Structures are given as structure tokens and as C-alpha cells.
């Protein structure tokens, strides 16, 4: 047989996970001159785009336009999508080795970091990741229940996900109508009783994890005033001293926070309070086991030897009544059966995207990773591009050295028959485009960008696959 990567024997790549990291990996591989590549992209959901569809806040429609780039890639005859096919249950890594020269895992970080405090598992205390998936219409989460009859909500953490959650809780119906938020979430949020959202940062304004555009947006909501306590907007002496080395983002965050601290309330129906230097220590319940209050401790900062500012508890305790709590302290990857995993970091064990054997720490032949499951849950969508390029370039370098798998069935047609045998209701890219068209058409009737299908059964029914 001719060389792998030639026109008659293209490099056959399986990418598992149809989010940005997967598409950017495919993009880089397709760009390589003189190497013929075919990509089959798998996803456990019938819909592509991962967190762009199920994570990016619905009121950030512009960010979602990145899917146009992915759409163009998907039109290439060398690209195929096998949606509604789960690695681990419908197909295994061993199966993929039978059909591909290289396999790339781009499955993202599918769970959250837990917060180890008493009461965290009480009724009405949830991971923010579940709420985000719920309001975005993720089929696995659409039936989750969040008690929006509560008046006060705490969001623990001040990263961009916490900001998204706080903002969505504060949005007016008119604001939400301009989004593709799941239709049930639109109704429930519109009828919610939420009057105040409290976001908790364990460190100070100079260490906030949110980015300036997101912070600024909090001060521009139609139906909610964003407030900061003036004493918490002031920098502590250590942070003040570190400003000389601060980047532009930090300086801008401080500016925005101090502006909010001096602005005061304007009488909007909802209030978002952003707190600094506080850590929850306990959630307190009523007899029904529901959260009714949160105990928290005031922190002070200290500097570690490496120069990082860390929070340390003081003896000042405070209790605030809250009826609903979302913890938003970071996502975390889950292991894939048969793929080496770094438990503590929550990522696939890898070096520059080459999967490493757990024992020998040597590269596993033909297996790669990119995105959050490679580097952890950091950065914006665009961060995945250089990350995926690094992985794809390792793949191409290994190909040049003849380091690929030797699949028993490298023919493209063999895969279709195989997937069909395992998952007759798999969804192709052409199928997805039909769903996309339907969602947009239903959205247009309501003056919204789209109304999402949120049940797999409904998607399959619409495609005549039920
Ligand atoms: P993140 O940016 O890592 O923020 C995590 C937050 O949780 C930080 O405020 C962190 O505080 C806090 N935290 C961690 N452990 C804690 C603890 N034990 N107690 C209290 N607070 C704790 O994570 P994320 O918000 O999940 O976002 C993930 C990535 O997606 C980020 O890179 C983010 O920028 C990106 N994203 C971007 C957008 C956007 O561009 N609009 C939207 C959503 C997400 P410390 O800083 O003190 O550790």
C-alpha cells in the first residue's frame, strides 16, 4: 500500500469531541500541504460545537459566531461527523484503533470542582456547570430543577462562568428574548423570584478571575444594579504594592470594580453584589434540608514564595440568608476508559498533546489530545487554537517518522458500516444542518436567534430517525 498521507492512502484521523479544540485540530491537519488527511469527528451529542452551544452564555451570541469557521471546515469532503455516538459505550478506543491511524481526544472538562464545606450537598446547592448546561438546553441537564422561587442567590467564585451565571439570573425577559437560551429556561427565569445575587471572590479586586469586558457588562444590565462594597473595592497593601507588575486586564478590572463601588443603586428591580476577600465556610439548612443561609469568613491576603497572593481566613465571620447556591470554582475533566489520566489535574496524561503511558511516561502510539482535557479548563475559545495546533503538529511529526497505528480497516466506508451497526441513529453533519435550519426557523417565528432542540429523542424524530 502507498505511504500513509498520500492521496490513495490518506492519514485517517478520529477526533472525539466536536468542540472548538476538535475543530481547530482538524483545521490544522487539513492545512498541511502534501499530506492527505480525512477526519471523522465523533460526539456523544447529536449536535456539534461542544461548549460553544452548551457552555457559552446565550446572551453572548457574537462569541457563538465562531461556529461559521467550523461549519466551513465541516463542508470539506474529507470531513465527516458522527454525532450521537459515545466513546466508551457505543464505540471503544479499541474499536477506533481498527479504523484510524491517529485518534485525538478533545472531550473537554465535563464536570466541576467541588467545594469541601459542610452543607455543600444540601437541597438548592448546585454546581454552576449544571445550571449552565440547563439554561443552554443540554439534553442531559434539561430536566434538572433549580428553585428560582428563592429571592437571594449566592454564586461562589468570580471567574467568567460565575459572571455568566450571575448575569443570566439578573437578565430581563427582553434581554433573554434576544438569546438562544433554552425555551423552558427563558420561561422559568422570566418568572423567577430572584431579587439579589451575591458573587463571592475569595481574593481581592486585583486577583479577580473575570476579564474586563465581562466585568464591565455587569454594570450595564437593564434590570439589575451591580454593586461593590466600597471597603472591599479598596486594595489591601500587598495588592497595592504588586500593581507595578500588573497587566492591563488587572488594571482595567480594578478600575471597573472601583467605579461600581462608587456608583450606588439606581433603583433597578434586581441587585448583583460582588464581594471580595470572603470564603464560604458552611451552608446552613432548615428542617427540610434546604439551604437558608451561608456562613462565610473574611480573608486577608498573604504572598507565597513564588509571589502568588493567597487568601487566609481571619476570625471575622458573617452569615447571609440565601436560598439558592451555585458553586463556580472551575470545571474538571473526566477520565475516558482506557486512556491514561492525571487524577489530580483532571486531564489526560500528555506532553504537548501526545498521550503518555501512565507507567512508562512514553507516548502512546497514535493517541493525542487537545483542549481542556489536555491543558485543564483555562482560556477563551481562541486559546484552543494554538493548543490544537501544537497537538496537530505533533501528529504530523509522528506521521513523518512512521509512528502511526496500523488499522485493520483504514477504508472510510468501513467506518460507516461499523458505526451504523453500533449506533443506527448516528447523526451526520448533513443531519445537523437540518436541525440547525429547523432551530433557526422556529426561533425566527419568535424573533429569537434560534429555539434549541433539547431532547435527543426530539432531534432524532425531526430527522426521521426515531
Ligand atoms: P476560573 O476562571 O478558573 O475561575 C474560578 C474561580 O473560582 C476563581 O474566582 C477562583 O478564585 C474561584 N475559586 C477556586 N477555588 C475556590 C475555592 N475553594 N473557594 C472559593 N473560590 C474558589 O474558572 P471558570 O469561571 O470556570 O472559567 C473557566 C475558563 O473559561 C476560564 O478561562 C474563563 O475565562 C473561560 N470563560 C470565558 C468566558 C468568556 O470569555 N466570556 C466565559 C466563561 C468562561 P481564585 O482566583 O482565588 O483561585
Amino acid at each position: 500500500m502507498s505511504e500513509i498521507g498520500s492521496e490513495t492512502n490518506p492519514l485517517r484521523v478520529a477526533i472525539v469531541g466536536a468542540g472548538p479544540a476538535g475543530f481547530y485540530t482538524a483545521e490544522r491537519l487539513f492545512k498541511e500541504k502534501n499530506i492527505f488527511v480525512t477526519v471523522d469527528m465523533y460526539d456523544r451529542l447529536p449536535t456539534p460545537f461542544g461548549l460553544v452551544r452548551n457552555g457559552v452564555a446565550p446572551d453572548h451570541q457574537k462569541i457563538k459566531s465562531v461556529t461559521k469557521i467550523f461549519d466551513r471546515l465541516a463542508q470539506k469532503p474529507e470531513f465527516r461527523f458522527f454525532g450521537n455516538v459515545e466513546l466508551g459505550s457505543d464505540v471503544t478506543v479499541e474499536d477506533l484503533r481498527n479504523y484510524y491511524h491517529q485518534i485525538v481526544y478533545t472531550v473537554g472538562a465535563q464536570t466541576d470542582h467541588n467545594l469541601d464545606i459542610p452543607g455543600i450537598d444540601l437541597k438548592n446547592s448546585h454546581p454552576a456547570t449544571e445550571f449552565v448546561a440547563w439554561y443552554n438546553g443540554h439534553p442531559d441537564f434539561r430536566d434538572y430543577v433549580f428553585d428560582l422561587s428563592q429571592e437571594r442567590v449566592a454564586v461562589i467564585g468570580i471567574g467568567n462562568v460565575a459572571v455568566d451565571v450571575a448575569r443570566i439570573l439578573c437578565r430581563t425577559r427582553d434581554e433573554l428574548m434576544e438569546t438562544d437560551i433554552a425555551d423552558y429556561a427563558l420561561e422559568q427565569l422570566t418568572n423567577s423570584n430572584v431579587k439579589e445575587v451575591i458573587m463571592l471572590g475569595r481574593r481581592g479586586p486585583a486577583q479577580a478571575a473575570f476579564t474586563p469586558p465581562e466585568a464591565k457588562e455587569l454594570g450595564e444590565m437593564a434590570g439589575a444594579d451591580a454593586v461593590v462594597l466600597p471597603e472591599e473595592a479598596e486594595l489591601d497593601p500587598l495588592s497595592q504594592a504588586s500593581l507595578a507588575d500588573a497587566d492591563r486586564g488587572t488594571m482595567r478590572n480594578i478600575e471597573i470594580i472601583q467605579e461600581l463601588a462608587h456608583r450606588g443603586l439606581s433603583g433597578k428591580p434586581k441587585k448583583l453584589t460582588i464581594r471580595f476577600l470572603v470564603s464560604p465556610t458552611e451552608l446552613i439548612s432548615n428542617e427540610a434540608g434546604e439551604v437558608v443561609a451561608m456562613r462565610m469568613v473574611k480573608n486577608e491576603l498573604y504572598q507565597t514564595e513564588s509571589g502568588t497572593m493567597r487568601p487566609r481566613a481571619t476570625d471575622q465571620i458573617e452569615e447571609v440568608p440565601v436560598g439558592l447556591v451555585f458553586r463556580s470554582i472551575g470545571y474538571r475533566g473526566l477520565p475516558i476508559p482506557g486512556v491514561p489520566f492525571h487524577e489530580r489535574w483532571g486531564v489526560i496524561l500528555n506532553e504537548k498533546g501526545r498521550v503518555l503511558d501512565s507507567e512508562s511516561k512514553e507516548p502512546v502510539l497514535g493517541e493525542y489530545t487537545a483542549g481542556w482535557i489536555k491543558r485543564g479548563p483555562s482560556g477563551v475559545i481562541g486559546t484552543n487554537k494554538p493548543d490544537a495546533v501544537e497537538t496537530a503538529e505533533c501528529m504530523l511529526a509522528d506521521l513523518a517518522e512512521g509512528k502511526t497505528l496500523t488499522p485493520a480497516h483504514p477504508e472510510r466506508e468501513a467506518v460507516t458500516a461499523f458505526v451504523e451497526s453500533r449506533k443506527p441513529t448516528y447523526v451526520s453533519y448533513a443531519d445537523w444542518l437540518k436541525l440547525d435550519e429547523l432551530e433557526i426557523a422556529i426561533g425566527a417565528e419568535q424573533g429569537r436567534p434560534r429555539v434549541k432542540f433539547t431532547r435527543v429523542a426530539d432531534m432524532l424524530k425531526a430527522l426521521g430517525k426515531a
Side-chain angles (χ1 to χ4, degrees):
M1 196 168 226
S2 53
E3 216 172 303
I4 300 170
S6 62
E7 197 166 358
T8 51
N9 185 19
L11 177 70
R12 300 274 299 114
V13 176
I15 297 180
V16 184
F23 275 99
Y24 286 132
T25 305
E27 182 182 49
R28 174 63 188 89
L29 292 173
F30 285 140
K31 266 196 188 144
E32 186 69 3
K33 290 203 177 75
N34 306 321
I35 299 286
F36 289 83
V37 184
T38 63
V39 167
D40 289 344
M41 187 176 279
Y42 291 82
D43 202 286
R44 70 191 189 88
L45 290 180
T47 51
F49 310 143
L51 277 188
V52 180
R53 180 176 168 97
N54 293 312
V56 169
D59 58 344
H60 282 173
Q61 287 298 307
K62 259 196 204 145
I63 296 182
K64 290 179 187 246
S65 63
V66 67
T67 57
K68 290 200 184 107
I69 300 171
F70 305 153
D71 247 336
R72 271 201 301 277
L73 266 175
Q75 302 310 321
K76 282 182 171 288
E78 299 82 14
F79 179 97
R80 296 188 300 190
F81 177 61
F82 292 103
N84 200 27
V85 180
E86 183 165 28
L87 181 68
S89 56
D90 299 319
V91 298
T92 64
V93 172
E94 212 39 61
D95 292 327
L96 296 181
R97 289 201 188 105
N98 274 327
Y99 297 93
Y100 299 97
H101 298 113
Q102 294 180 330
I103 305 164
V104 195
Y105 307 109
T106 54
V107 295
Q110 294 177 27
T111 188
D112 70 303
H113 270 290
N114 200 358
L115 185 66
D116 191 15
I117 59 168
I120 198 67
D121 293 323
L122 287 174
K123 200 157 173 262
N124 292 350
S125 163
H126 309 271
T129 50
E130 291 179 357
F131 186 58
V132 168
W134 173 79
Y135 64 62
N136 274 315
H138 188 303
D140 294 354
F141 297 88
R142 55 112 44 236
D143 293 321
Y144 278 45
V145 176
F146 299 96
D147 183 3
L148 297 172
S149 70
Q150 300 297 332
E151 288 195 3
R152 295 183 100 205
V153 186
V155 180
I156 303 169
I158 49 168
N160 280 334
V161 171
V163 170
D164 284 349
V165 166
R167 214 179 49 247
I168 291 298
L169 285 165
C170 289
R171 286 291 191 205
T172 61
R173 184 178 180 84
D174 284 352
E175 286 173 320
L176 292 177
M177 276 300 284
E178 289 169 15
T179 77
D180 65 352
I181 196 163
D183 50 2
Y184 54 79
L186 172 67
E187 283 317 310
Q188 292 182 40
L189 285 161
T190 301
N191 298 319
S192 99
N193 240 350
V194 174
K195 305 250 179 328
E196 182 175 6
V197 179
I198 310 165
M199 246 172 73
L200 305 177
R202 62 176 170 177
R203 300 190 286 163
Q207 295 82 31
F210 49 60
T211 39
E214 281 64 32
K216 186 163 175 283
E217 210 180 352
L218 293 178
E220 295 166 350
M221 293 183 289
D225 283 314
V227 298
V228 176
L229 309 182
E231 63 275 22
E232 289 184 355
E234 288 306 317
L235 297 190
D236 64 289
L238 276 178
S239 300
Q240 189 68 46
S242 71
L243 285 190
D245 303 323
D247 57 27
R248 273 176 53 195
T250 302
M251 295 306 289
R252 184 72 189 115
N253 270 351
I254 296 170
E255 228 176 274
I256 294 166
I257 290 161
Q258 293 188 342
E259 196 270 314
L260 289 177
H262 292 107
R263 194 192 281 187
L265 295 173
S266 75
K268 291 177 184 172
K270 291 185 185 176
K271 183 164 103 169
L272 166 65
T273 308
I274 311 167
R275 299 285 312 264
F276 292 98
L277 284 165
V278 284
S279 281
T281 54
E282 185 176 356
L283 300 185
I284 297 156
S285 71
N286 58 14
E287 279 177 7
E290 298 158 338
V291 175
V292 288
M294 181 169 58
R295 195 164 293 148
M296 48 195 199
V297 63
K298 187 87 190 151
N299 294 328
E300 60 187 9
L301 293 181
Y302 69 96
Q303 197 163 15
T304 63
E305 274 177 20
S306 64
T308 316
M309 305 289 186
R310 305 292 315 156
R312 181 165 55 201
T314 66
D315 55 7
Q316 290 174 54
I317 305 287
E318 192 182 336
E319 206 170 287
V320 288
V322 289
L324 184 60
V325 175
F326 294 108
R327 53 184 184 274
S328 179
I329 62 167
Y331 283 71
R332 193 182 149 74
L334 286 175
I336 299 173
V339 181
F341 193 69
H342 194 297
E343 234 357 282
R344 198 156 56 83
W345 297 348
V347 298
I348 290 177
L349 195 61
N350 77 93
E351 190 179 354
K352 295 185 175 169
R354 287 187 177 98
V355 176
L356 300 182
D357 183 84
S358 309
E359 301 282 301
S360 69
K361 306 286 186 285
E362 290 296 317
V364 176
L365 187 69
E367 291 186 39
Y368 303 86
T369 181
W372 277 8
I373 196 65
K374 167 188 174 186
R375 69 172 193 280
S378 65
V380 293
I381 293 170
T383 316
N384 291 297
K385 189 165 179 169
D387 178 296
V389 164
E390 179 184 62
T391 297
E393 290 181 351
C394 289
M395 295 166 71
L396 293 164
D398 290 350
L399 169 69
E401 290 186 21
K403 292 181 191 161
T404 66
L405 295 165
T406 42
H409 308 287
E411 321 81 39
R412 285 190 99 194
E413 311 71 51
V415 172
T416 326
F418 163 70
V419 175
E420 235 157 32
S421 73
R422 289 291 177 82
K423 195 74 185 242
T425 55
Y426 81 85
V427 168
S428 68
Y429 207 80
D431 290 333
W432 153 245
L433 290 177
K434 277 185 219 152
L435 291 178
D436 187 37
E437 208 177 286
L438 284 168
E439 287 186 344
I440 292 171
I442 301 167
E445 287 168 14
Q446 302 178 17
R448 301 182 52 203
R450 72 172 65 232
V451 171
K452 286 179 180 177
F453 285 99
T454 61
R455 289 192 196 281
V456 173
D458 292 344
M459 299 182 202
L460 297 179
K461 194 167 159 217
L463 293 170
K465 289 176 189 263

